[in-house]
Amino acid sequence: THSVQMAQDARTEKEIGKVKNVHTVLVVEDNEDISAYIASRLDSQYHLLFAYNGQEGLEIAKREIPDIILTDVMMPIMDGYEMTKKLQEDAVTDHIPIIMLTARSMDEDLLDGLKSGADAYLAKPFNEAELKLRISNLIEKRNRLQSKYQKTVLNPSKKSSAKSDKNLRFLNKAIELIQNNLDNAQYD
């Protein structure tokens, strides 16, 4: 915990402000050494948040709405599969890409991870370059989808699929909430 905290403290708000469009990565990992390793590899590119079990990760994800989540599978209190499933069932968090990191690399484990809603599955020890590329690709894909749905909201006459309708309803609700709370300085 101390080494992860040091990595977090090393990046001040001033430094974060210098980087345009800093994306937030939530790391849900109960192993402090792995969390510290991830922090040392990603801290210069992303704003990092940390949770040490699935329940804590779920709470932080709902509160902070990160751009992407890296999660271990085997953790106390709530495992990565259950957390991922709950995130995918919630309209507030179902759009967040999730990468599962695990020492369990059997085909059955991979399928379980993908069934729970994970977007990618990397076996430990993972390749740093692959992890960075997957994070970058998933964030870019999410940005393209956001752009597409923003255009759809502005021009709703186009036909859309059932999944698009669900996402459009979510966007319309988000816009409504923002508009209703523009005068509320405490609204987050």
Side-chain angles (χ1 to χ4, degrees):
T1 304
H2 181 66
S3 56
V4 171
Q5 187 61 44
M6 285 177 26
Q8 288 174 307
D9 292 343
R11 191 150 118 152
T12 65
E13 291 302 317
K14 185 176 178 183
E15 290 169 330
I16 290 169
K18 287 181 184 176
V19 182
K20 252 188 177 179
N21 299 322
V22 172
H23 295 287
T24 300
V25 177
L26 170 59
V27 179
V28 186
E29 170 65 65
D30 63 326
N31 183 306
E32 290 182 27
D33 291 336
I34 293 174
S35 290
Y37 175 78
I38 291 171
S40 71
R41 299 302 185 242
L42 300 180
D43 190 54
S44 64
Q45 294 174 273
Y46 301 102
H47 174 68
L48 300 175
L49 302 171
F50 293 87
Y52 300 96
N53 63 64
Q55 181 63 43
E56 188 179 47
L58 184 64
E59 292 166 8
I60 292 172
K62 287 181 178 185
R63 184 178 66 240
E64 301 293 331
I65 313 297
D67 295 294
I68 194 163
I69 297 171
L70 304 179
T71 184
D72 189 12
V73 171
M74 302 305 294
M75 295 179 289
I77 303 174
M78 180 187 295
D79 67 22
Y81 296 133
E82 185 179 352
M83 181 193 72
T84 298
K85 187 174 183 215
K86 288 183 180 209
L87 288 167
Q88 294 301 309
E89 291 170 350
D90 190 323
V92 174
T93 57
D94 67 354
H95 66 286
I96 302 171
I98 300 170
I99 299 175
M100 287 194 157
L101 305 172
T102 183
R104 300 170 61 182
S105 60
M106 297 170 60
D107 287 342
E108 187 176 310
D109 296 323
L110 169 63
L111 292 176
D112 287 341
L114 296 175
K115 283 179 193 174
S116 70
D119 296 279
Y121 193 94
L122 294 176
K124 295 176 190 173
F126 51 86
N127 178 294
E128 177 185 340
E130 181 181 4
L131 176 64
K132 287 180 176 180
L133 189 57
R134 285 189 186 255
I135 290 171
S136 175
N137 287 347
L138 286 170
I139 288 174
E140 179 59 32
K141 181 179 178 182
R142 180 176 169 228
N143 289 344
R144 283 194 312 268
L145 284 172
Q146 284 176 332
S147 177
K148 175 184 169 186
Y149 287 119
Q150 285 172 347
K151 289 175 187 173
T152 303
V153 169
L154 297 174
N155 185 8
S157 63
K158 292 183 180 179
K159 292 182 180 179
S160 59
S161 68
K163 185 169 184 162
S164 294
D165 290 340
K166 177 183 171 190
N167 289 329
L168 186 57
R169 284 192 304 272
F170 171 77
L171 283 173
N172 286 332
K173 181 67 175 172
I175 291 168
E176 179 185 337
L177 287 170
I178 291 167
Q179 289 174 340
N180 291 340
N181 289 284
L182 283 176
D183 295 332
N184 182 354
Q186 301 300 315
Y187 190 72
D188 184 9

